[in-house]
Amino acid sequence: MATKQRKLFVTGIGTDVGKTIASSILVEALQADYWKPIQAGDLDHSDSNKVKSQISNSKSQIFENSYKLNTPASPHYAAQLDGITIDINQIKEPKTTNHLVIEGAGGLLVPLNDTACIIDLIQKDYEVILVSRHYLGSINHSLLSLEALKSRNISCAGIIFSGDENPATESIILSKSGVKCIGRIENEPYFDANVIAYYADKFREALTNM
């Protein structure tokens, strides 16, 4: 019996919360393909390159970005600096029969142009995973992100916590939202293929039962 294809959309409560590390773990755990529709800045060390270097299975395919922007800024502004406008109709999901991990840019309401935001890239068949990292204000940002999804009738399949454990923060986010925790990524001294594989093994059962 063929395994049903899954499409996981990884978003965060803000910038630099650990989406790319989480995406690498999900790709490795499911031996999934990876796609980041929009890369803004750091093109020589892009998130696609980071994921490729951090996974160790031979099945995963890394797909090209739909937009590669030169400036590390909000995509709408980075596109403006490049003299273009992002057209979400040109952001076409790559064809694959494998599982697919899709990584957003920044948070859900990061603008892509004058009308569309990252949240508008989420399709009906995507399972949304929210990455939350502890800092002062992260409870508010986590719950606001979940409310933004709810307002669009998009369910959140699970939360991944990134960084040092904070039981008070985690418990209130989970109890108020009712969303399942997939796991936590600790503040590791570095992330390489071995560390990613370790977390992939830890998260695999929760992902399978999600």
Coordinates of all heavy atoms in Angstrom, one line a residue, residues 4 12 18 72 74 96 102 114 168 170 187 192-193:
K4 N 0.7 7.8 1.8 CA 0.1 9.0 1.3 C 1.1 10.2 1.4 O 1.8 10.3 2.4 CB -1.1 9.4 2.2 CG -1.8 10.7 1.8 CD -2.8 11.1 2.9 CE -3.4 12.5 2.5 NZ -4.2 13.1 3.6
G12 N 7.2 30.2 11.3 CA 7.7 30.6 12.6 C 7.0 31.7 13.2 O 6.2 32.4 12.6
G18 N 14.4 29.3 14.2 CA 14.9 28.0 14.0 C 14.1 27.2 12.9 O 14.1 25.9 12.9
P72 N 18.7 40.7 2.5 CA 18.0 40.1 3.7 C 17.0 41.0 4.3 O 17.4 41.8 5.2 CB 19.2 39.7 4.6 CG 20.3 40.7 4.2 CD 20.1 41.1 2.8
S74 N 12.4 42.0 4.4 CA 11.0 41.5 4.0 C 10.9 41.3 2.5 O 11.4 42.1 1.7 CB 10.0 42.5 4.5 OG 8.7 42.2 4.0
T96 N 6.2 16.4 -7.2 CA 6.9 15.3 -6.6 C 5.9 14.3 -6.1 O 4.8 14.7 -5.7 CB 7.9 15.7 -5.5 OG1 8.5 14.6 -4.9 CG2 7.2 16.5 -4.4
I102 N 7.9 22.4 3.1 CA 7.9 23.8 2.5 C 8.2 24.7 3.6 O 7.6 24.7 4.6 CB 6.5 24.1 1.9 CG1 6.1 23.1 0.9 CG2 6.6 25.5 1.2 CD1 4.8 22.5 1.2
D114 N 2.0 44.1 -2.2 CA 1.1 45.0 -1.5 C -0.2 44.3 -1.0 O -0.9 44.9 -0.2 CB 0.6 46.1 -2.5 CG 1.7 47.1 -2.8 OD1 2.7 47.1 -2.0 OD2 1.6 47.8 -3.8
A168 N 7.0 26.9 31.7 CA 5.8 27.9 31.9 C 5.3 28.4 30.6 O 4.1 28.5 30.3 CB 6.3 29.0 32.8
E170 N 5.9 27.0 27.5 CA 5.4 26.0 26.6 C 4.0 25.5 27.1 O 3.1 25.3 26.2 CB 6.4 24.8 26.7 CG 7.7 25.1 26.0 CD 8.7 24.0 26.1 OE1 8.3 22.8 26.4 OE2 9.9 24.2 26.0
N187 N 19.4 24.1 22.4 CA 20.4 25.0 21.9 C 21.7 24.2 21.8 O 22.6 24.2 22.7 CB 20.6 26.2 22.9 CG 19.8 27.4 22.6 OD1 19.5 27.6 21.4 ND2 19.4 28.2 23.6
D192 N 24.9 19.6 12.6 CA 25.4 18.9 11.4 C 24.5 17.7 11.1 O 23.5 17.5 11.7 CB 26.9 18.5 11.6 CG 27.1 17.5 12.7 OD1 26.1 16.9 13.3 OD2 28.2 17.1 13.0
A193 N 24.9 16.9 10.1 CA 24.0 15.8 9.7 C 23.8 14.8 10.9 O 22.6 14.3 11.0 CB 24.7 15.1 8.5

